[in-house]
mmCIF file of all heavy atoms in Angstrom:
data_model
loop_
_atom_site.group_PDB
_atom_site.id
_atom_site.type_symbol
_atom_site.label_atom_id
_atom_site.label_comp_id
_atom_site.label_asym_id
_atom_site.label_seq_id
_atom_site.Cartn_x
_atom_site.Cartn_y
_atom_site.Cartn_z
ATOM 1 N N LEU A 994 7.870 -33.420 -5.190
ATOM 2 C CA LEU A 994 7.399 -34.510 -5.973
ATOM 3 C C LEU A 994 8.417 -35.620 -5.809
ATOM 4 O O LEU A 994 9.622 -35.419 -5.966
ATOM 5 C CB LEU A 994 7.279 -34.151 -7.448
ATOM 6 C CG LEU A 994 6.900 -35.287 -8.383
ATOM 7 C CD1 LEU A 994 5.498 -35.828 -8.048
ATOM 8 C CD2 LEU A 994 6.967 -34.774 -9.831
ATOM 9 N N VAL A 995 7.918 -36.887 -5.454
ATOM 10 C CA VAL A 995 8.782 -38.028 -5.268
ATOM 11 C C VAL A 995 8.137 -39.283 -5.789
ATOM 12 O O VAL A 995 6.864 -39.400 -5.868
ATOM 13 C CB VAL A 995 9.073 -38.172 -3.682
ATOM 14 C CG1 VAL A 995 7.793 -38.469 -2.889
ATOM 15 C CG2 VAL A 995 10.091 -39.163 -3.444
ATOM 16 N N GLN A 996 8.858 -40.279 -6.234
ATOM 17 C CA GLN A 996 8.364 -41.523 -6.735
ATOM 18 C C GLN A 996 7.969 -42.364 -5.601
ATOM 19 O O GLN A 996 8.546 -42.333 -4.476
ATOM 20 C CB GLN A 996 9.372 -42.214 -7.628
ATOM 21 C CG GLN A 996 9.807 -41.472 -8.903
ATOM 22 C CD GLN A 996 10.705 -42.206 -9.749
ATOM 23 O OE1 GLN A 996 11.305 -43.210 -9.394
ATOM 24 N NE2 GLN A 996 10.903 -41.694 -10.928
ATOM 25 N N PRO A 997 7.087 -43.348 -5.783
ATOM 26 C CA PRO A 997 6.841 -44.347 -4.763
ATOM 27 C C PRO A 997 8.009 -45.124 -4.219
ATOM 28 O O PRO A 997 8.893 -45.448 -5.080
ATOM 29 C CB PRO A 997 5.806 -45.344 -5.420
ATOM 30 C CG PRO A 997 5.214 -44.555 -6.548
ATOM 31 C CD PRO A 997 6.261 -43.628 -7.036
ATOM 32 N N GLY A 998 8.120 -45.265 -2.995
ATOM 33 C CA GLY A 998 9.345 -45.821 -2.361
ATOM 34 C C GLY A 998 10.424 -44.847 -2.002
ATOM 35 O O GLY A 998 11.373 -45.318 -1.332
ATOM 36 N N GLY A 999 10.331 -43.597 -2.457
ATOM 37 C CA GLY A 999 11.248 -42.657 -2.220
ATOM 38 C C GLY A 999 11.109 -42.016 -0.775
ATOM 39 O O GLY A 999 10.287 -42.468 0.041
ATOM 40 N N SER A 1000 11.943 -40.938 -0.567
ATOM 41 C CA SER A 1000 12.047 -40.347 0.767
ATOM 42 C C SER A 1000 12.040 -38.773 0.637
ATOM 43 O O SER A 1000 12.502 -38.273 -0.384
ATOM 44 C CB SER A 1000 13.304 -40.740 1.528
ATOM 45 O OG SER A 1000 13.356 -42.196 1.712
ATOM 46 N N LEU A 1001 11.551 -38.165 1.620
ATOM 47 C CA LEU A 1001 11.636 -36.698 1.844
ATOM 48 C C LEU A 1001 11.742 -36.414 3.269
ATOM 49 O O LEU A 1001 11.358 -37.144 4.137
ATOM 50 C CB LEU A 1001 10.272 -35.996 1.331
ATOM 51 C CG LEU A 1001 10.090 -35.859 -0.161
ATOM 52 C CD1 LEU A 1001 8.641 -35.412 -0.439
ATOM 53 C CD2 LEU A 1001 11.068 -35.042 -0.855
ATOM 54 N N ARG A 1002 12.366 -35.233 3.560
ATOM 55 C CA ARG A 1002 12.650 -34.681 4.862
ATOM 56 C C ARG A 1002 12.004 -33.315 4.964
ATOM 57 O O ARG A 1002 12.426 -32.372 4.319
ATOM 58 C CB ARG A 1002 14.042 -34.729 5.251
ATOM 59 C CG ARG A 1002 14.356 -34.222 6.740
ATOM 60 C CD ARG A 1002 15.943 -34.285 6.979
ATOM 61 N NE ARG A 1002 16.318 -33.783 8.272
ATOM 62 C CZ ARG A 1002 16.438 -34.549 9.322
ATOM 63 N NH1 ARG A 1002 16.071 -35.887 9.230
ATOM 64 N NH2 ARG A 1002 16.764 -34.090 10.474
ATOM 65 N N LEU A 1003 11.003 -33.162 5.810
ATOM 66 C CA LEU A 1003 10.324 -31.925 6.092
ATOM 67 C C LEU A 1003 10.887 -31.221 7.289
ATOM 68 O O LEU A 1003 11.231 -31.869 8.254
ATOM 69 C CB LEU A 1003 8.765 -32.095 6.308
ATOM 70 C CG LEU A 1003 8.004 -32.875 5.187
ATOM 71 C CD1 LEU A 1003 6.560 -32.877 5.559
ATOM 72 C CD2 LEU A 1003 8.322 -32.326 3.880
ATOM 73 N N SER A 1004 11.008 -29.867 7.242
ATOM 74 C CA SER A 1004 11.471 -29.132 8.369
ATOM 75 C C SER A 1004 10.433 -28.058 8.780
ATOM 76 O O SER A 1004 9.699 -27.552 7.955
ATOM 77 C CB SER A 1004 12.815 -28.402 7.993
ATOM 78 O OG SER A 1004 13.775 -29.255 7.680
ATOM 79 N N CYS A 1005 10.425 -27.814 10.057
ATOM 80 C CA CYS A 1005 9.540 -26.726 10.595
ATOM 81 C C CYS A 1005 10.292 -25.973 11.602
ATOM 82 O O CYS A 1005 10.650 -26.457 12.645
ATOM 83 C CB CYS A 1005 8.336 -27.449 11.274
ATOM 84 S SG CYS A 1005 7.155 -26.288 12.048
ATOM 85 N N ALA A 1006 10.666 -24.757 11.249
ATOM 86 C CA ALA A 1006 11.439 -23.836 12.050
ATOM 87 C C ALA A 1006 10.654 -22.835 12.818
ATOM 88 O O ALA A 1006 9.760 -22.203 12.223
ATOM 89 C CB ALA A 1006 12.552 -23.143 11.240
ATOM 90 N N ALA A 1007 10.856 -22.760 14.197
ATOM 91 C CA ALA A 1007 9.982 -21.903 15.001
ATOM 92 C C ALA A 1007 10.901 -20.745 15.507
ATOM 93 O O ALA A 1007 12.076 -20.809 15.795
ATOM 94 C CB ALA A 1007 9.485 -22.718 16.191
ATOM 95 N N ALA A 1008 10.167 -19.658 15.711
ATOM 96 C CA ALA A 1008 10.732 -18.446 16.362
ATOM 97 C C ALA A 1008 9.885 -18.084 17.634
ATOM 98 O O ALA A 1008 8.663 -18.099 17.500
ATOM 99 C CB ALA A 1008 10.848 -17.318 15.470
ATOM 100 N N GLY A 1009 10.480 -17.954 18.822
ATOM 101 C CA GLY A 1009 9.802 -17.664 19.930
ATOM 102 C C GLY A 1009 10.468 -18.107 21.233
ATOM 103 O O GLY A 1009 11.569 -18.763 21.138
ATOM 104 N N SER A 1010 9.937 -17.973 22.410
ATOM 105 C CA SER A 1010 10.514 -18.247 23.677
ATOM 106 C C SER A 1010 9.890 -19.538 24.368
ATOM 107 O O SER A 1010 10.426 -19.771 25.426
ATOM 108 C CB SER A 1010 10.384 -17.067 24.558
ATOM 109 O OG SER A 1010 9.025 -16.736 24.864
ATOM 110 N N ILE A 1011 8.903 -20.181 23.643
ATOM 111 C CA ILE A 1011 8.209 -21.280 24.346
ATOM 112 C C ILE A 1011 8.594 -22.618 23.689
ATOM 113 O O ILE A 1011 8.011 -23.619 24.047
ATOM 114 C CB ILE A 1011 6.794 -21.021 24.401
ATOM 115 C CG1 ILE A 1011 6.223 -21.051 22.927
ATOM 116 C CG2 ILE A 1011 6.406 -19.816 25.208
ATOM 117 C CD1 ILE A 1011 4.681 -20.989 22.977
ATOM 118 N N PHE A 1012 9.554 -22.730 22.738
ATOM 119 C CA PHE A 1012 9.777 -23.909 21.922
ATOM 120 C C PHE A 1012 10.007 -25.107 22.915
ATOM 121 O O PHE A 1012 9.510 -26.262 22.654
ATOM 122 C CB PHE A 1012 10.878 -23.694 20.965
ATOM 123 C CG PHE A 1012 11.066 -24.909 20.038
ATOM 124 C CD1 PHE A 1012 10.408 -24.990 18.899
ATOM 125 C CD2 PHE A 1012 12.006 -25.844 20.417
ATOM 126 C CE1 PHE A 1012 10.607 -26.048 17.982
ATOM 127 C CE2 PHE A 1012 12.269 -26.902 19.529
ATOM 128 C CZ PHE A 1012 11.561 -27.031 18.333
ATOM 129 N N ARG A 1013 10.933 -24.972 23.865
ATOM 130 C CA ARG A 1013 11.383 -25.985 24.676
ATOM 131 C C ARG A 1013 10.299 -26.677 25.513
ATOM 132 O O ARG A 1013 10.524 -27.805 25.895
ATOM 133 C CB ARG A 1013 12.579 -25.614 25.474
ATOM 134 C CG ARG A 1013 13.861 -25.406 24.700
ATOM 135 C CD ARG A 1013 15.000 -24.899 25.525
ATOM 136 N NE ARG A 1013 16.276 -24.749 24.864
ATOM 137 C CZ ARG A 1013 16.513 -23.790 23.945
ATOM 138 N NH1 ARG A 1013 15.522 -22.870 23.654
ATOM 139 N NH2 ARG A 1013 17.726 -23.806 23.250
ATOM 140 N N ILE A 1014 9.213 -25.965 25.867
ATOM 141 C CA ILE A 1014 8.243 -26.499 26.737
ATOM 142 C C ILE A 1014 6.926 -26.845 26.000
ATOM 143 O O ILE A 1014 5.976 -27.242 26.585
ATOM 144 C CB ILE A 1014 7.856 -25.492 27.872
ATOM 145 C CG1 ILE A 1014 7.277 -24.208 27.241
ATOM 146 C CG2 ILE A 1014 9.035 -25.147 28.709
ATOM 147 C CD1 ILE A 1014 6.701 -23.227 28.361
ATOM 148 N N ALA A 1015 7.016 -26.797 24.630
ATOM 149 C CA ALA A 1015 5.756 -27.128 23.840
ATOM 150 C C ALA A 1015 5.777 -28.548 23.348
ATOM 151 O O ALA A 1015 6.827 -29.018 22.840
ATOM 152 C CB ALA A 1015 5.668 -26.023 22.688
ATOM 153 N N ALA A 1016 4.568 -29.072 23.144
ATOM 154 C CA ALA A 1016 4.385 -30.275 22.346
ATOM 155 C C ALA A 1016 4.324 -29.890 20.909
ATOM 156 O O ALA A 1016 3.918 -28.759 20.625
ATOM 157 C CB ALA A 1016 3.095 -30.993 22.831
ATOM 158 N N MET A 1017 4.768 -30.691 20.099
ATOM 159 C CA MET A 1017 4.689 -30.426 18.537
ATOM 160 C C MET A 1017 4.279 -31.698 17.834
ATOM 161 O O MET A 1017 4.171 -32.690 18.383
ATOM 162 C CB MET A 1017 6.112 -30.081 18.149
ATOM 163 C CG MET A 1017 6.695 -28.814 18.786
ATOM 164 S SD MET A 1017 8.326 -28.318 18.232
ATOM 165 C CE MET A 1017 9.224 -29.680 18.696
ATOM 166 N N GLY A 1018 3.974 -31.425 16.499
ATOM 167 C CA GLY A 1018 3.645 -32.622 15.680
ATOM 168 C C GLY A 1018 3.333 -32.210 14.304
ATOM 169 O O GLY A 1018 3.574 -30.956 13.907
ATOM 170 N N TRP A 1019 2.720 -33.120 13.477
ATOM 171 C CA TRP A 1019 2.426 -32.885 12.090
ATOM 172 C C TRP A 1019 1.015 -33.518 11.824
ATOM 173 O O TRP A 1019 0.695 -34.691 12.217
ATOM 174 C CB TRP A 1019 3.494 -33.667 11.236
ATOM 175 C CG TRP A 1019 4.790 -33.097 11.259
ATOM 176 C CD1 TRP A 1019 5.793 -33.336 12.142
ATOM 177 C CD2 TRP A 1019 5.436 -32.113 10.368
ATOM 178 N NE1 TRP A 1019 6.891 -32.643 11.947
ATOM 179 C CE2 TRP A 1019 6.719 -31.874 10.835
ATOM 180 C CE3 TRP A 1019 4.956 -31.459 9.237
ATOM 181 C CZ2 TRP A 1019 7.612 -31.028 10.199
ATOM 182 C CZ3 TRP A 1019 5.832 -30.558 8.586
ATOM 183 C CH2 TRP A 1019 7.111 -30.298 9.038
ATOM 184 N N TYR A 1020 0.255 -32.711 11.015
ATOM 185 C CA TYR A 1020 -0.999 -33.100 10.394
ATOM 186 C C TYR A 1020 -0.772 -33.158 8.964
ATOM 187 O O TYR A 1020 0.124 -32.554 8.334
ATOM 188 C CB TYR A 1020 -2.178 -32.149 10.714
ATOM 189 C CG TYR A 1020 -2.782 -32.225 12.060
ATOM 190 C CD1 TYR A 1020 -2.340 -31.557 13.173
ATOM 191 C CD2 TYR A 1020 -3.961 -32.883 12.197
ATOM 192 C CE1 TYR A 1020 -2.898 -31.597 14.344
ATOM 193 C CE2 TYR A 1020 -4.629 -32.991 13.457
ATOM 194 C CZ TYR A 1020 -4.091 -32.381 14.539
ATOM 195 O OH TYR A 1020 -4.709 -32.328 15.686
ATOM 196 N N ARG A 1021 -1.661 -33.930 8.250
ATOM 197 C CA ARG A 1021 -1.721 -33.812 6.742
ATOM 198 C C ARG A 1021 -3.164 -33.797 6.380
ATOM 199 O O ARG A 1021 -4.049 -34.310 7.043
ATOM 200 C CB ARG A 1021 -0.943 -34.988 6.093
ATOM 201 C CG ARG A 1021 -1.604 -36.380 6.340
ATOM 202 C CD ARG A 1021 -0.709 -37.401 5.765
ATOM 203 N NE ARG A 1021 -1.259 -38.755 5.883
ATOM 204 C CZ ARG A 1021 -0.587 -39.884 5.560
ATOM 205 N NH1 ARG A 1021 0.602 -39.781 5.038
ATOM 206 N NH2 ARG A 1021 -1.176 -41.103 5.739
ATOM 207 N N GLN A 1022 -3.413 -33.270 5.160
ATOM 208 C CA GLN A 1022 -4.795 -33.133 4.578
ATOM 209 C C GLN A 1022 -4.719 -33.312 3.089
ATOM 210 O O GLN A 1022 -4.055 -32.518 2.417
ATOM 211 C CB GLN A 1022 -5.499 -31.924 5.072
ATOM 212 C CG GLN A 1022 -6.939 -31.885 4.644
ATOM 213 C CD GLN A 1022 -7.736 -30.769 5.269
ATOM 214 O OE1 GLN A 1022 -7.137 -29.778 5.598
ATOM 215 N NE2 GLN A 1022 -8.986 -30.973 5.482
ATOM 216 N N ALA A 1023 -5.441 -34.297 2.485
ATOM 217 C CA ALA A 1023 -5.606 -34.473 1.110
ATOM 218 C C ALA A 1023 -7.002 -33.937 0.640
ATOM 219 O O ALA A 1023 -7.886 -33.906 1.446
ATOM 220 C CB ALA A 1023 -5.429 -35.889 0.720
ATOM 221 N N PRO A 1024 -7.017 -33.434 -0.580
ATOM 222 C CA PRO A 1024 -8.397 -32.942 -1.034
ATOM 223 C C PRO A 1024 -9.536 -33.920 -0.903
ATOM 224 O O PRO A 1024 -9.335 -35.119 -1.213
ATOM 225 C CB PRO A 1024 -8.137 -32.671 -2.564
ATOM 226 C CG PRO A 1024 -6.600 -32.416 -2.731
ATOM 227 C CD PRO A 1024 -6.006 -33.370 -1.655
ATOM 228 N N GLY A 1025 -10.604 -33.488 -0.265
ATOM 229 C CA GLY A 1025 -11.724 -34.308 -0.121
ATOM 230 C C GLY A 1025 -11.632 -35.249 1.134
ATOM 231 O O GLY A 1025 -12.582 -36.059 1.342
ATOM 232 N N LYS A 1026 -10.666 -35.187 1.919
ATOM 233 C CA LYS A 1026 -10.460 -36.007 3.016
ATOM 234 C C LYS A 1026 -10.271 -35.233 4.288
ATOM 235 O O LYS A 1026 -10.007 -34.006 4.283
ATOM 236 C CB LYS A 1026 -9.195 -36.888 2.852
ATOM 237 C CG LYS A 1026 -9.247 -37.851 1.677
ATOM 238 C CD LYS A 1026 -8.031 -38.748 1.631
ATOM 239 C CE LYS A 1026 -8.109 -39.691 0.493
ATOM 240 N NZ LYS A 1026 -6.933 -40.644 0.486
ATOM 241 N N GLN A 1027 -10.575 -35.844 5.502
ATOM 242 C CA GLN A 1027 -10.387 -35.260 6.766
ATOM 243 C C GLN A 1027 -8.908 -35.020 7.068
ATOM 244 O O GLN A 1027 -8.128 -35.785 6.624
ATOM 245 C CB GLN A 1027 -11.108 -36.099 7.873
ATOM 246 C CG GLN A 1027 -12.593 -36.046 7.871
ATOM 247 C CD GLN A 1027 -13.212 -34.852 8.326
ATOM 248 O OE1 GLN A 1027 -12.653 -34.118 9.153
ATOM 249 N NE2 GLN A 1027 -14.381 -34.440 7.742
ATOM 250 N N ARG A 1028 -8.662 -33.974 7.772
ATOM 251 C CA ARG A 1028 -7.308 -33.800 8.304
ATOM 252 C C ARG A 1028 -6.976 -34.908 9.306
ATOM 253 O O ARG A 1028 -7.762 -35.333 10.156
ATOM 254 C CB ARG A 1028 -7.230 -32.381 9.138
ATOM 255 C CG ARG A 1028 -5.856 -32.085 9.560
ATOM 256 C CD ARG A 1028 -5.902 -30.668 10.217
ATOM 257 N NE ARG A 1028 -6.233 -29.574 9.252
ATOM 258 C CZ ARG A 1028 -6.980 -28.439 9.494
ATOM 259 N NH1 ARG A 1028 -7.379 -28.287 10.717
ATOM 260 N NH2 ARG A 1028 -7.243 -27.637 8.605
ATOM 261 N N GLU A 1029 -5.662 -35.393 9.075
ATOM 262 C CA GLU A 1029 -5.277 -36.587 9.761
ATOM 263 C C GLU A 1029 -4.017 -36.154 10.624
ATOM 264 O O GLU A 1029 -2.990 -35.647 10.117
ATOM 265 C CB GLU A 1029 -4.872 -37.699 8.870
ATOM 266 C CG GLU A 1029 -4.277 -38.904 9.572
ATOM 267 C CD GLU A 1029 -3.683 -39.985 8.568
ATOM 268 O OE1 GLU A 1029 -3.511 -39.614 7.455
ATOM 269 O OE2 GLU A 1029 -3.600 -41.170 9.021
#
């Protein structure tokens, strides 16, 4: 939970042998809305 104007830092840790050759990214989805 954060106030408007604030900041957060998300992390995503992977285990496996293909990390260095993979594309990565982030999606988000709010209730009642399409995944973005």
Side-chain angles (χ1 to χ4, degrees):
L994 176 65
V995 65
Q996 295 182 353
S1000 298
L1001 286 173
R1002 183 179 176 88
L1003 307 184
S1004 298
C1005 178
S1010 61
I1011 63 171
F1012 185 88
R1013 288 173 174 79
I1014 64 172
M1017 301 184 295
W1019 295 83
Y1020 281 85
R1021 67 184 180 185
Q1022 188 167 27
K1026 297 184 179 179
Q1027 290 286 329
R1028 183 177 296 149
E1029 178 188 16

